[in-house]
Structures are given as C-alpha cells and as structure tokens.
Amino acid sequence: MATPHVLLVEDSCVDRLVASRLLKSFNIRVTAVEGPKEALTFLDMEHDVLLILTDYCMPDMTGYDLLVEVKKSPKLNHLPVVITCTEDIPERIKMCLDGGAKDYIIKPIKVADVPRLLSYI
C-alpha cells in the first residue's frame, strides 16, 4: 500500500509537532496546517489526502465547522474526518459524530490511537 497522506489541522504548534511526529513514525505522510481555512485551501489544490485529523478548538473556525464544510463539498465529502480535543464533552462528541466525523479522540494523540486512525482510510 502507498504511504497514506493525512492532513493535520491544528493551531497549537506543540500539538501539531507531537501529532505529526507520531504519525510520521508510522510511515504516514503528514501535511500540517494551522487552521480550517488553510486546510480548505490546501484540499482545493491537493487530491491525495486520505484522512483529515483536526483539532476542535481553533480561532475563527472550529474543527466541527471544517467537518461541515468537508461534508457539504461533493469533491471532499468522501474524506474521513477525525476530531481531536483536550475536552471530553459528551454533547460535543455526539454533535461531531452525528455531523459525520469518524471519531473523536481526546488529546494528546497516542500510539494506541494510530491503528484506529488508519482503519478509517
């Protein structure tokens, strides 16, 4: 199988670095962007992303807002989206899953989470 390409959307440079290094250690190609608007611009130009891994809490647009935009787009709605957050809020988790997210992972992302992420590709 070709190296999977994951788009990581994370406004925190520390969380972006940690998640990126972890995914790369599993031979996953990672493109990291700081926010949903940058992610949508990237997705408009790039066609080999197989999974979007996005933080929930970001300025301007949330990860849920990004999920809604992806699911509305005929070009992007096939992409699995996984939301990450430090907060375990049942109503938010339900909203994200009901909105089409494949999963909601409590940060920090761990080695044990990676096989689950790969299963969505």
Side-chain angles (χ1 to χ4, degrees), residues 3-4 6 8 16-32 114:
T3 304
V6 171
L8 174 63
R16 201 167 48 245
L17 181 65
V18 168
S20 186
R21 283 192 175 166
L22 177 63
L23 294 170
K24 287 177 180 178
S25 75
F26 280 80
N27 198 31
I28 296 169
R29 186 164 66 113
V30 178
T31 298
V114 177

Side-chain angles (χ1 to χ4, degrees), residues 1 8 12 16 27 33 51-52 54 72-74 77 80 94-95 105 117:
M1 182 172 127
L8 174 63
S12 161
R16 201 167 48 245
N27 198 31
V33 297
L51 175 87
I52 300 168
T54 182
K72 277 193 323 194
S73 167
N77 65 12
K94 181 178 180 344
M95 178 181 72
I105 296 175
L117 287 175

Side-chain angles (χ1 to χ4, degrees), residues 10 19 25 30 39 47 61 65 76 83 89 92 100 108 119-120:
E10 173 61 69
S25 75
V30 178
H47 304 289
M61 279 177 84
D65 296 330
L76 303 174
I83 308 258
I89 301 172
R92 180 184 294 165
S119 76
Y120 301 128

Side-chain angles (χ1 to χ4, degrees), residues 47-110:
H47 304 289
D48 70 342
V49 170
L50 297 178
L51 175 87
I52 300 168
L53 180 63
T54 182
D55 182 25
Y56 180 87
C57 296
M58 293 179 284
D60 300 326
M61 279 177 84
T62 66
Y64 179 78
D65 296 330
L66 175 59
L67 170 68
V68 169
E69 291 300 313
V70 166
K71 293 305 173 188
K72 277 193 323 194
S73 167
K75 179 181 162 192
L76 303 174
N77 65 12
H78 67 283
L79 288 173
V81 178
V82 174
I83 308 258
T84 64
C85 193
T86 56
E87 302 167 323
D88 186 358
I89 301 172
E91 299 80 23
R92 180 184 294 165
I93 295 169
K94 181 178 180 344
M95 178 181 72
C96 291
L97 295 176
D98 289 350
K102 287 289 186 185
D103 208 341
Y104 186 102
I105 296 175
I106 304 301
K107 290 196 282 187
I109 185 169
K110 297 169 271 320

